[in-house]
Amino acid sequence: MSVHSRIAQVAVHLPPGRQTAQAIEDRLRRHSPGVRVPARLLTRLYGLQERIVADDGDLPSDLASRAVLQALRQAELEPGDIDLLLFAAVSADVQEPANAHIVASKTGLTCPVFDVSNACNSVLNALEVADAFIRCGAYGRVLVACGETLSRLSRWTLTGPDELRTALASLTGGDMGAALLIEASPEPGIIATTSMANSAGWPAATLFNPYHAPGLPKGLHIDSDRLLASFLGLDTQAKQWLKSQHSDPNTLGLLCVHQPSVPFVHEFCARLGVPSDTVVPTFHRTGNMGAATLPLQLALATEQGRLQPGTNAALFGLASGASAGVILINWTIPRPHPHQTTPTRHSTPADTNGGNSRANRPGTTTRSTGQEQQQDRAEPRPAAGDQTATR
């Protein structure tokens, strides 16, 4: 009898802090007085309204651990029930040892662990690894953990327009934790996977290690035009692969796409030939969540009832390098009851000085971050706390 794998659990942890696009631009102007920053620049170029920011004391492993514990609670599993833990993210507490060790220590897991790293495709590739391990019989349950603190890569001190051009995208990163439980299944939940690359595009987005690459530019540098150009052709390969799988994007129940900006998502959907509303929009209210973007969309789509058991969906990953990947899935998780998925929303008065929004929630202490954050209650946003899709 063949062994397959399925996504049995998705959980995301969203910190309570919010920083509006205006607050980001105001801070940039204070730190870079010699650089002209046009009004509403981040909204006009990227579609950003606000981003989620973690407390200063939270590390990537903390955000990932909260999502892991939530996933275990919802699946009614103990730490000893997990056979393998993979940490997959752009962000990291350490380069040595594997960050998965830290998450395992904080959550009580005693299984083998290791990290999977491929920029914003880290979670997508970790799902491929988990699927392969399960299908070959090595493990029965694999947890993929992700913790992103991309807001901390913001470059605030700039000297001129050339630096502004490569720093703008760094100001759109957001923070969150995510976890996915992958289990053995008699029927395929993960139907097929593929990966592709255009490695000549790697200089378009770089974050050099200052210890191993001394003398090279410090901080996150992203040339958005070059990065977009590096993806061209990968989308065509993805379409051809879908055709080989006898899968029409327009017949899928949901598309989850990496979201580095609102215009990027619209352009990607147009090139794929599907309506933009096939995708659950997240960027405008969260920022670029890096490798956690795909699980966030799965959790929100499940909560909204857009994913039902039997729904076919596709996960499209795109990452600097450039690399791309597609995973076709058959959804097996029923829509949870509201009390299982809807976290407590914290209404916090706006700080008119551009300071911090504070919120207290069970199990979490929210402290001053020293960053400009502002609540905007004009329209719904992903609520702070834990959101889950359960089996």
Side-chain angles (χ1 to χ4, degrees):
M1 178 178 173
S2 299
V3 177
H4 305 279
S5 74
R6 71 184 185 110
I7 298 175
Q9 176 76 18
V10 180
V12 299
H13 170 76
L14 303 177
R18 299 293 187 274
Q19 189 177 37
T20 65
Q22 180 179 336
I24 296 170
E25 293 174 4
D26 289 344
R27 178 173 178 176
L28 179 61
R29 292 185 184 99
R30 290 196 297 273
H31 286 266
S32 302
V35 176
R36 179 179 175 271
V37 181
R40 302 185 72 252
L41 184 62
L42 293 175
T43 301
R44 288 188 289 109
L45 289 183
Y46 297 95
L48 183 69
Q49 297 181 27
E50 65 180 1
R51 63 177 176 178
I52 296 177
V53 292
D55 184 84
D56 278 347
D58 281 336
L59 300 174
S61 64
D62 293 317
L63 303 180
S65 296
R66 290 178 192 142
V68 164
L69 291 173
Q70 183 70 10
L72 290 174
R73 284 194 297 268
Q74 294 297 327
E76 299 181 351
L77 295 176
E78 298 296 327
D81 295 324
I82 303 303
D83 301 318
L84 175 69
L85 173 68
L86 305 176
F87 179 87
V90 178
S91 309
D93 294 19
V94 295
Q95 189 167 10
E96 174 84 14
N99 291 271
H101 285 296
I102 304 174
V103 175
S105 177
K106 290 180 177 180
T107 57
L109 271 64
T110 58
C111 58
V113 307
F114 62 89
D115 291 357
V116 176
S117 177
N118 186 17
C120 294
N121 272 356
S122 296
V123 164
L124 189 84
N125 294 148
L127 288 174
E128 290 183 289
V129 172
D131 174 59
F133 271 133
I134 289 173
R135 285 190 291 105
C136 76
Y139 301 106
R141 285 195 183 102
V142 180
L143 256 179
V144 175
C146 178
E148 297 286 25
T149 53
L150 299 178
S151 71
R152 296 170 188 172
L153 298 180
S154 301
R155 289 169 54 202
W156 297 112
T157 304
L158 311 175
T159 59
D162 286 342
E163 288 194 2
L164 178 64
R165 186 176 61 86
T166 62
L168 274 178
S170 78
L171 303 175
T172 66
D175 308 333
M176 67 170 284
L180 299 101
L181 175 64
I182 318 304
E183 290 185 339
S185 170
E187 300 294 332
I190 295 180
I191 300 171
T193 69
T194 189
S195 294
M196 56 210 74
N198 172 26
S199 297
W202 77 264
T206 57
L207 179 61
F208 290 106
N209 187 310
Y211 295 100
H212 300 293
L216 293 176
K218 295 181 180 180
L220 179 60
H221 291 253
I222 299 177
D223 185 324
S224 296
D225 292 336
R226 291 183 67 185
L227 183 60
L228 181 61
S230 72
F231 291 139
L232 296 178
L234 297 180
D235 55 337
T236 302
Q237 294 180 50
K239 288 181 66 174
Q240 293 172 344
W241 179 80
L242 287 173
K243 186 177 181 179
S244 74
Q245 298 297 312
H246 308 289
S247 179
D248 181 352
N250 285 286
T251 65
L252 296 171
L254 180 74
L255 298 181
C256 296
V257 181
H258 178 57
Q259 300 187 25
S261 74
V262 173
F264 179 89
V265 174
H266 291 165
E267 176 65 19
F268 181 87
C269 289
R271 292 180 66 86
L272 202 60
V274 298
S276 296
D277 60 7
T278 311
V279 177
V280 177
T282 59
F283 176 88
H284 67 302
R285 285 297 196 184
T286 66
N288 184 346
M289 286 301 191
T293 301
L294 297 179
L296 174 60
Q297 292 172 65
L298 287 175
L300 291 175
T302 304
E303 179 184 336
Q304 296 165 6
R306 295 184 62 174
L307 278 175
Q308 300 288 345
T311 300
N312 287 328
L315 311 181
F316 286 88
L318 292 156
S320 59
S323 66
V326 188
I327 296 182
L328 285 175
I329 61 174
N330 180 265
W331 198 244
T332 62
I333 307 175
R335 183 182 182 184
H337 296 295
H339 73 273
Q340 292 178 309
T341 61
T342 305
T344 302
R345 176 169 293 183
H346 305 280
S347 297
T348 307
D351 185 333
T352 56
N353 294 319
N356 305 305
S357 59
R358 292 176 175 265
N360 295 321
R361 50 195 165 81
T364 303
T365 302
T366 304
R367 297 181 296 277
S368 175
T369 66
Q371 293 177 302
E372 295 85 353
Q373 300 169 5
Q374 185 178 358
Q375 291 283 5
D376 179 0
R377 292 187 289 255
E379 60 180 272
R381 62 160 70 94
D386 301 315
Q387 293 181 312
T388 62
T390 60
R391 293 184 299 168

